[in-house]
Structures are given as structure tokens and as C-alpha cells.
Amino acid sequence: MVHTGTLPRKRRWSAFLAGCTGLFALLLLWSGAEAIGEHVETDALESAEQRAGAIAEVASQFAQRALAAARDGQALAGHWAAHRAPEETAIRAEVAKLLAEHIAQSGGAIARIAIADAAGRVIWSSDAQEGSVAGQPWFQAHASTPGPPRVSPTIGAAPADAALPAWTIPVSTRVVAAEGGFGGAAVVALDVSGLEESLAALAHRPGEVAAILRREGDLLVRSADTAQLIGRPLVTERTRMALLNGETTPFRSRSPLTGEEVMISFRAVPGGAVLAVGSVTLGPALAHAARIHAGARVAALAAWAVLLLLLLAGFAVLRGRNVRRELAAQQAGRAEIERLLAGLPAIVFLREVGPDGTARHLYRNGDSAAVSGWPPEALPSRQPWADLADPEADFESIYQRALTEGQAVMDWRMRQPDGSWASMRSTLRLLERLPEGRGLVVGYIVNITAERAAEARALAASRLASLGEMGAGLAHELRQPLTAISLAAGVAVMAAKRGDNDRVLQRLDRILDQVKRGSAIIDYLRRFARGQEDEEGVVPVDLAVAVNGALALCGGALAEAGAEVLVTLGPPAPVVLGHAVPIEQVLVNLLFNARDAVAALPPGAPRQIAITAETEDGVARLAVADTGGGILPAVLGRVFEPFVTTKGPDRGAGLGLSICHGLMRSMGGGIVAENAGAGARFTLSLPVAPEGALEKMPEGALDRAPEGAPDKAPDGVPRGTPAGAGG
């Protein structure tokens, strides 16, 4: 045989396949390294955001307590100043004693309390210190213009005989004279050293800072180095105005003191006088993330280099026609790839899929134990863990979708060794089309149990927040049937004394009706608080029942805000596929948002909320519209993103609409927002249930209306009048 110096065709194909394998391995390893780096950096930033937010929140609560102590001291001081007549000496002495006790009980937060007359002369001080405050800017402001209490810049070094001690924060208020004019000022001096020590306990880790600023942006007290930074502006005017307008924090920035990159979180303390700040240095965490990222890249390149060397060795073997060395190199290369892929926190697989969705196993690798929770020997090697999956997991369907649409994603559940369920996500993509309608499909499986748990916690927190907000309205709703029961019972007693049995029976029937009404409201509240299990499939839900449930929970709050609710759902009201409780939760969130929007309107403006429904092409659309002025265009496109809100920091964290979006998607529906008419309109869409599906539901099913549920909106909330509207 004559050798031409070129590889035979079979070996050329082998070399080509080896090159493709090496390129695929490089892409896979590099993608894994990038994913690890991004994940570590994201975790570091999220941890810093949470820590900065926690420091700012606790600092805000601490500032509220300090200001509350100052306000209580000012009230006592004002009481002392109001009893300056000679015959009221005993009253002043008692008030002075209370002031001394208040200072002692402040835990070191208050250094001194003083009262000045209209001329600025100190007429009483908690430590008998005399002096004058007439030249102080805060005293002159009180003398010239009535206004709220003022938090003034921190006093640094001061003479020993000064009216206020050094290193204190003056919190002052105007004293009204007996004849109604300016009678002086009462000032509470908060001790900076004590406040600094308390803040240092909040931000005790290296690189953490807790601080309290005036609303003008200058520093009052800090967890460290207060003396060197007193009065220094630490926020820009733009940032300060954004905070006062309720924009979301935290955010990354450069420290104006050290130039280091930090995560900063602000809280506007109720009352608007001061701001609380929490800051965490990002340098160490980002540096650690960068090292891990670089290490992952180096490991990926090293592994690929090893593979490349093995492939080159294989080419040398091919050229030298040493079959044994060629096979050994190929086996070693494959073993190295298998070892690297086996460490990935995901299951990578390759399958040949037929037109009917049946799949033939070709390849699978990854850390099966970490992803599935089972030892590798306990996992089946055919369909991807089908024996351990939830019976509702349709693997053939997802393979068919990947074959026809090019890609597919499916979330499913997998039984764990202890009997519990873990949530999985399979992501597939069509790699190559084969003859006879077949195709090669590549994909991966990851464990999303932690992600689902976080979503469940956010959903539960949203329900609890809604329950707290609807508390006053529910009290109003329950008070009405209780009042009716009380009146009916009184009438029944009087009728019984007269022997009028017919009237007694009428009053008893009235009492039973009111008991059913109160029981229905409580049942709505119980179902709303309990929530809905994610693994339950969608069921038929009467939108009229869901709307009645939401109005039963928040109707009182809407009535107190003066909102007129108009409901038009039919006839007949649509029946959709979904879950009643999540639909009610979405409606409660939208109704509270609409209430807040119309409540902010000027007197006389129409305060209307309209709930309408229509069905088209097998999809039911439920719209909630208000006359509250609409959503700012800059915010409208991002209203369903987490932490996006137009309310102040004390009215929510901006998660409500994001959770609503997730709930609607989980039921196979959707939600859109737009400005229409005189306000905003949110439209929910869900598939229509098959005709007669509601009647086939088993008695006592979760998503049916509770026994005794009212067939109309709660008292105080007007309704539309078309037939079938609201059930």
C-alpha cells in the first residue's frame, strides 16, 4: 500500500469530530466559569444590599425612638413653660422632676433639656445651666415663623458655660405664650457620643457605616468619626430629593469620604426631619468574587488545555498509526471531559427525539446527587428520572415542543428520599434535525427548590401585608352584622316578653342571616391568609366569586377612602381556569393601589374604581380601572419589576405588582398595565374554563365560594347593576 501522507477519510472525520468535541467542551467550560463568576458577584451584591438595608432600617427605628424621646421631653418642657405664674411653683417642680426622670430613662440619648423665654434667655435647664440661645439660628427661626419642631446641625466644641453642651444635636420646638404669641423655645440636646455608640453597635463589621443625617443632607451623627465629619454634606441634592420623593434604594456608589465602592441604603424617617443611612463596603466582597471568577476561568482554560493536549496526542497517534495510543488518548480525553462535566451543578443530557415525543437516551452527565437529592445508583437511566417525577410531568410533550418550536422549558417536581418534593426545571434546545422528523435535543436540568421557596416567602409576605392593610376595613365589615344581631336580639327579647312569637321568630331569622354574613367574611379572610399550594392544578373559578371575595376583604377600606366601586362582569360572569385565592390576592393588590391613587385626589374629584370583564377567543379579560391620574410614563414600562414603586418607603417595597405578575403567569395567564381615561387600568387575562366545568367541581373544593358567601359587594361599596354582575 502506498501512503500519500494524508489521513484516510475515516480518520479525517475522527479528527473533525474530535475538534468539535474540544470546541464544545471549551464553550461549555467557559460558560460554566462565567455563570459561576456572575452568580458569586450577584450573591455578594445581594448580600450587601440586604445588609445595608438592614442597617438603614434599624438606624431609622433608632432615630425614631430618639426623636420620640426628644418630642416627649419637649412636651414636658412646654408644660413647664405654660405654668410660670408664682402660685404654680409646685406644678413646675413636679414637671421638672418628670423631666429629670425622662432624661434618666432615655438611656443616655438626652444630654440636656432647656427652656428659653421670648428673649432667648434660658429660664430652666435640666442641669441648672444658665445662658442665652438668642443667637442660635433655630431660636431665631422659631421666633420669626411658627412651624414644626426643628432638628438643627450638631453642636461641636462649645464653651463650658454654653446654654447647650458640646457634641449634641439640638431638637427644638416653639413655646406659645399665654396670650398666643411667641413665648420662647424648648430644646432637647441629644447626646452625640451616646448615639454614636449605639450606631456603632448596629454597624459592627469592618467597612459598615450607620449614620443619621438631617433632611438637608448634612451629618448629625455617625457610627464612627462623627467629630471629624459633623455638618459635612454626605448626599447630593439630587439624591436627597429622590429620597424625600420615595425613590427606591439601595444603590451602588462611591464613598465621598474614602472613594471606595459601597452599597448605600437610605430610609426617610417618618416626619421628614432626618434620614437614616446604612453603608457596606463592596471592595472585599467584589474582590473575592473576582478571584473566584478568575479561578473558574483558569480552571476552565486548564481543563480545555488538558483536553487539547490529549487531542493533539491523539492526532500524533493517528499520524503514527498507533491504534492503541490513539484509543488510550481518546479514552483519557473523554474521561477528563466526563470528570469536568460531572462537577457541574446541573444535569446535561443529549437525546434523540422522535415525532411522537419519545426520546432515546444518548448522553447524560453532571452532579446528579447535588441536583436530584438522590445517590446516582438510585436514579433510572432511561427517561430523565420519570419514575421519581410527579405523574403530571409530561416529558413527551416537552420533547415534542423542543422538536417543533426549537426550544422548550418545563418546571416539574421530583420525589425526595424523605418523601418530600423538590422543584426541577428542564430547559431543552433542538441541536440538529434528523431524517424522518427526528432530531437531536440537548438540554439541562437544574434544581429550583430554593428559588421556589423564595417566591413562596415573598408571596406569603405580600398576603400578610395585604391583611394588615385591610384590617380596619374588615373591622367595619364585621361591625355591621354584629350591630344588626345586637338590635335583633333586643327586639326579640322585648317581643318574647310580650308573647309575640311571630316577631321573635322573625328576629331570630334576621340574626341567622347576619351570622351567615359575618361567617362568610371570616371564611374569605381565612382562605386568603391560607393561600394556595403551587402543585395544585388549575381549576374552574367563577370570576364573580373571586371579585366578591376581594371586595369582601377590602371593601371597608375602599369605602373609608370614599372610592365608588362599579362592577360589571356579565351576564353571565366568566368562569376561568386558575385559582381563586391567587386571583383574589391580585385583585386585592390592584384595589388597594387604586384606592391610594384616588385617595390622593383633591376634594370634589371623582373617586371611581371600575371592575369589568369580557371574553374573546377563549380568553377572559378582567380589568380594574381608576380615576387616580394614571402612572408616570417613566415608570409605566417597569411597574412589574421588583422594587419599582411610586409610593413612599413607608407604603411598601415595590414588590406587589411583581408578585401579581408571577401569580398570573403561574396560572397560565397574564397582566398588563396602561393609562386609560382619567387614570390607570390593569387587565388580567386567563383562559376560559370549558362549559359546565364549574358544576363538575367536587363539593367543598378549595376554589368554590365559602358557604354563606354574600352575593353582593360589602356594604358601603356601590356596584354596577347589569344582570349577572358579581354572581
Side-chain angles (χ1 to χ4, degrees), residues 606-619:
R607 291 176 167 81
Q608 291 184 342
I609 301 174
I611 304 176
T612 58
E614 62 178 13
T615 302
E616 183 179 0
D617 298 331
V619 176

Side-chain angles (χ1 to χ4, degrees), residues 264-502:
I264 302 177
S265 183
F266 289 88
R267 295 290 188 276
V269 178
V274 297
L275 302 172
V277 183
S279 174
V280 177
T281 300
L282 291 177
L286 293 180
H288 178 68
R291 287 193 296 271
I292 294 179
H293 197 174
R297 288 175 173 173
V298 171
L301 290 175
W304 182 78
V306 170
L307 176 61
L308 183 61
L309 290 175
L310 293 173
L311 291 176
L312 291 176
F315 286 136
V317 169
L318 287 174
R319 294 181 66 86
R321 298 185 180 181
N322 189 333
V323 177
R324 297 174 101 182
R325 292 182 60 191
E326 175 190 42
L327 293 176
Q330 291 176 351
Q331 291 172 356
R334 180 170 182 173
E336 182 67 15
I337 294 175
E338 293 291 325
R339 185 182 69 83
L340 294 172
L341 293 179
L344 290 176
I347 305 301
V348 181
F349 58 86
L350 179 68
R351 291 182 177 273
E352 180 182 326
V353 180
D356 58 352
T358 57
R360 184 169 65 91
H361 171 74
L362 298 179
Y363 175 79
R364 184 176 76 191
N365 205 341
D367 193 346
S368 300
V371 175
S372 68
W374 289 84
E377 61 272 12
L379 298 174
S381 59
R382 54 188 194 284
Q383 286 279 8
W385 308 335
D387 292 345
L388 300 173
D390 188 333
E392 296 183 1
D394 190 352
F395 292 103
E396 292 185 358
S397 175
I398 188 177
Y399 281 122
Q400 281 184 315
R401 294 206 317 270
L403 194 62
T404 57
E405 302 174 10
Q407 59 186 9
V409 178
M410 181 179 74
D411 292 348
W412 50 284
R413 298 188 306 163
M414 181 176 183
R415 180 70 70 182
Q416 297 297 284
D418 61 358
S420 63
W421 293 97
S423 297
M424 303 289 172
R425 176 169 292 162
S426 295
T427 304
L428 284 68
R429 178 167 293 180
L430 180 62
L431 189 64
E432 180 183 354
R433 294 194 182 276
L434 301 176
E436 300 176 357
R438 296 175 294 114
L440 290 179
V441 173
V442 65
Y444 63 90
I445 303 172
V446 293
N447 191 314
I448 61 170
T449 303
E451 176 183 339
R452 286 297 179 85
E455 292 175 354
R457 288 193 298 270
L459 187 59
S462 175
R463 282 200 301 270
L464 290 176
S466 297
L467 287 173
E469 194 167 0
M470 67 179 64
L474 287 172
H476 171 77
E477 292 298 327
L478 291 172
R479 189 181 300 114
Q480 289 187 349
L482 289 175
T483 301
I485 290 171
S486 177
L487 293 174
V491 173
V493 169
M494 290 187 292
K497 291 179 179 180
R498 296 193 307 266
D500 189 351
N501 292 333
D502 291 340

Side-chain angles (χ1 to χ4, degrees), residues 255-267:
S255 170
L257 302 178
T258 64
E260 296 181 346
E261 191 171 16
V262 295
M263 185 68 70
I264 302 177
S265 183
F266 289 88
R267 295 290 188 276

Side-chain angles (χ1 to χ4, degrees), residues 182-201:
F182 175 63
V187 58
V188 176
L190 298 179
D191 185 17
V192 169
S193 61
L195 298 177
E196 181 181 74
E197 183 178 349
S198 299
L199 290 177

